């Protein structure tokens, strides 16, 4: 009988929040063009480790399956990225290589590879990364955005809040309240928005507070790992410039 090619995976597992983690090995049938999400589905279907022991399906988060929602972000061979766009063929140097899967380390683990990214969404709230609207009916056309503002905003709005930049940033850790690059990038997106700029001062106040822009250590890991090419370091530099001008203005206005 011909030997069926398989994919070997080593998965870091954790049964409940706060419980000890452990590793399990799995082997699934190889398919051309398969991605890591497919591997996880095959693990669930097979229900056994590579050693033949019964194993619960590996928990992970996913939604769009096309690198748009960011929910399947995890560490794959030590690199933070999305499971749905990580092709097995690109991860293996030889067919015998073992692919390792781990949850992100900067977010609390819910179970296995599934983490709670609420912290990121709280940081978006903190920097008012939204356009303020009320429920009143208003026929006034929205303010037009110049070509330049549109071109500045477009790369920033590609952010899918996946957590890659937060995971890679050494300044985001248990000793530091730094909100991370994604929230700063989104704050800068709305600073220029025709309606969003109504909250410009509140955003700057949040960004100069504890854990704000001053927490950036300029490691620049964020731009290296961002799957969407969001210009995060440019956004942080822009935030710094706006904060300097804002602080000077406040000082002269005293
Ligand atoms: S499932 Fe949405 S990015 Fe992977």
């Amino acid at each position: 009988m011909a030997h069926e090619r398989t994919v070997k995976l080593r998965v870091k597992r954790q049964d409940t929040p706060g419980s000890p983690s452990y590793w399990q090995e799995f082997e699934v049938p190889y398919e051309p063009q398969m991605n890591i999400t497919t591997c996880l589905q095959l693990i669930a279907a097979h229900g056994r480790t590579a050693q033949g022991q019964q194993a619960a399906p590996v928990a992970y988060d996913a939604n769009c399956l096309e690198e748009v929602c960011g929910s399947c972000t995890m560490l794959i061979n030590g690199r933070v990225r999305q499971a749905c766009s990580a092709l097995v063929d690109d991860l293996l140097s030889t067919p015998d290589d073992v692919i390792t899967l781990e949850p992100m380390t900067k977010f609390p683990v819910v179970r296995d590879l599934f983490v709670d990214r609420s912290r990121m969404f709280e940081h978006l709230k903190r920097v008012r990364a939204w356009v303020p609207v009320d429920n009143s009916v208003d026929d006034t056309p929205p303010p037009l955005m110049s070509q330049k503002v549109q071109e500045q905003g477009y790369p920033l709005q590609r952010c899918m809040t996946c957590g890659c930049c937060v995971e890679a940033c050494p300044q985001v850790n248990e000793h530091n309240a730094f909100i991370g690059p994604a929230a700063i990038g989104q704050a800068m997106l709305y600073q220029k928005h025709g309606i969003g700029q109504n909250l410009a001062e509140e955003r700057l106040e949040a960004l100069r507070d504890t854990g704000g822009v001053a927490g950036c250590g300029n490691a620049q890991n964020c731009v290296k790992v961002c799957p969407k090419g969001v210009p995060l370091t440019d956004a942080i530099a822009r935030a710094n410039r706006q904060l300097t001008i804002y602080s000077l203005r406040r000082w002269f206005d005293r």
Side-chain angles (χ1 to χ4, degrees):
M1 193 173 79
H3 178 67
E4 185 190 22
R5 182 175 167 189
T6 59
V7 180
K8 300 174 187 65
L9 301 116
R10 197 163 169 261
V11 183
K12 192 174 193 180
R13 308 204 60 174
Q14 185 174 320
D15 295 340
T16 55
S19 66
S21 58
Y22 58 96
W23 290 90
Q24 276 186 334
E25 291 167 7
F26 298 93
E27 216 166 326
V28 298
Y30 169 83
E31 296 166 16
Q33 303 298 318
M34 72 194 301
N35 60 24
I36 291 300
T37 309
T38 311
C39 293
L40 291 167
Q41 288 168 340
L42 289 169
I43 288 173
H46 189 55
R48 296 203 171 268
T49 66
Q51 292 75 28
Q53 293 158 335
Q54 208 166 4
V58 176
Y60 62 99
D61 201 0
N63 189 356
C64 69
L65 302 180
E66 53 183 358
E67 204 189 86
V68 172
C69 72
S71 61
C72 66
T73 306
M74 59 183 71
L75 296 174
I76 301 174
N77 284 349
R79 185 186 144 201
V80 67
R81 57 187 301 181
Q82 284 68 51
C84 63
S85 55
L87 296 179
V88 164
D89 291 331
D90 297 339
L91 295 167
L92 300 175
S93 304
T94 73
D96 286 331
D97 285 352
V98 179
I99 298 170
T100 61
L101 306 181
E102 299 166 77
M104 285 194 281
T105 61
K106 303 288 174 79
F107 301 94
V109 173
V110 178
R111 185 180 169 113
D112 299 333
L113 305 173
F114 179 19
V115 297
D116 179 0
R117 290 180 298 143
S118 306
R119 184 179 294 170
M120 281 189 81
F121 302 111
E122 289 304 318
H123 289 154
L124 289 178
K125 283 195 229 167
R126 183 171 149 189
V127 299
R128 317 285 194 277
W130 65 71
V131 172
V133 287
D134 59 28
N135 292 328
S136 60
V137 179
D138 188 347
D139 291 335
T140 314
L144 291 176
M145 292 166 84
S146 70
Q147 181 79 22
K148 187 175 167 211
V149 170
Q150 290 176 40
E151 284 172 7
Q152 275 182 353
Y154 182 71
L156 292 172
Q157 63 87 41
R158 287 196 300 249
C159 176
M160 55 181 179
T161 332
C162 61
C164 284
C165 60
V166 172
E167 176 68 22
C169 177
Q171 294 298 105
V172 178
N173 58 58
E174 64 273 25
H175 308 297
N176 194 323
F178 184 43
I179 57 173
I184 300 172
Q186 293 309 287
M188 287 302 102
L189 171 64
Y190 291 105
Q191 283 299 81
K192 289 281 183 178
H193 188 279
I195 303 172
Q197 58 189 224
N198 291 343
L199 295 178
E201 289 207 355
E202 288 179 47
R203 271 186 215 106
L204 291 174
E205 284 294 337
L207 289 172
R208 73 178 195 154
D209 205 353
T210 309
V213 175
C216 172
N218 204 23
Q220 307 198 9
N221 290 0
C222 51
V223 277
K224 291 183 195 141
V225 298
C226 177
K228 295 296 178 188
V230 177
L232 292 160
T233 47
D234 289 354
I236 293 169
R238 207 181 306 159
N240 263 319
R241 277 197 301 276
Q242 288 190 19
L243 278 175
T244 303
I245 294 166
Y246 177 67
S247 301
L248 282 171
R249 196 166 0 104
R250 275 178 56 100
W251 190 79
F252 281 114
D253 284 349
R254 280 196 301 182

